[in-house]
Amino acid sequence: MVIDVSGMIQAGRRRKPFGACLSLLCATVLLFAVCLVHAADDQALITERCLGCHGMEKNCEVTVNDPEWWKETVLRMVEYKSDLLSDIETDRIALFLADERKRSTLCPSN
């Protein structure tokens, strides 16, 4: 009697190992956590550097979500105080403010 096991071997290869799925899940959770921390860092950066000169009320009234528009706006603020932000910080703040959901976290009503 001859048993053909080729179908059984292939079926076993198609299943993903538990370790690979667990690794993918851990990587996803880690990436999510890094994103949350990064967003909190950007909010803290804005609070530390921008609130020294003005409040956030105007930013909360703006409905523009264009990162380039926000970058130009932030750069205009940097012209008043040249050592206020680095180029990387300027980009980070512009991207944060261009996201309406993130920007709303700075509003006094929240």
Side-chain angles (χ1 to χ4, degrees), residues 32-109:
F32 182 71
V34 167
C35 289
L36 286 177
V37 169
H38 189 66
D41 288 347
D42 293 342
Q43 185 177 10
L45 180 64
I46 292 169
T47 302
E48 292 169 9
R49 306 283 177 83
C50 303
L51 289 178
C53 296
H54 61 80
M56 290 290 113
E57 295 80 20
K58 275 185 145 180
N59 295 335
C60 297
E61 296 171 4
V62 175
T63 58
V64 177
N65 296 326
D66 177 24
E68 286 302 315
W69 185 89
W70 278 104
K71 184 172 182 174
E72 289 176 20
T73 302
V74 173
L75 286 172
R76 206 170 45 250
M77 302 301 119
V78 172
E79 286 179 11
Y80 294 113
K81 194 172 181 183
S82 61
D83 61 342
L84 184 65
L85 298 167
S86 69
D87 291 340
I88 293 171
E89 291 169 334
T90 299
D91 291 340
R92 285 176 43 202
I93 288 177
L95 288 173
F96 183 93
L97 293 172
D99 185 326
E100 185 176 352
R101 207 170 16 99
K102 291 178 183 177
R103 185 172 64 244
S104 70
T105 63
L106 298 168
C107 299
S109 61

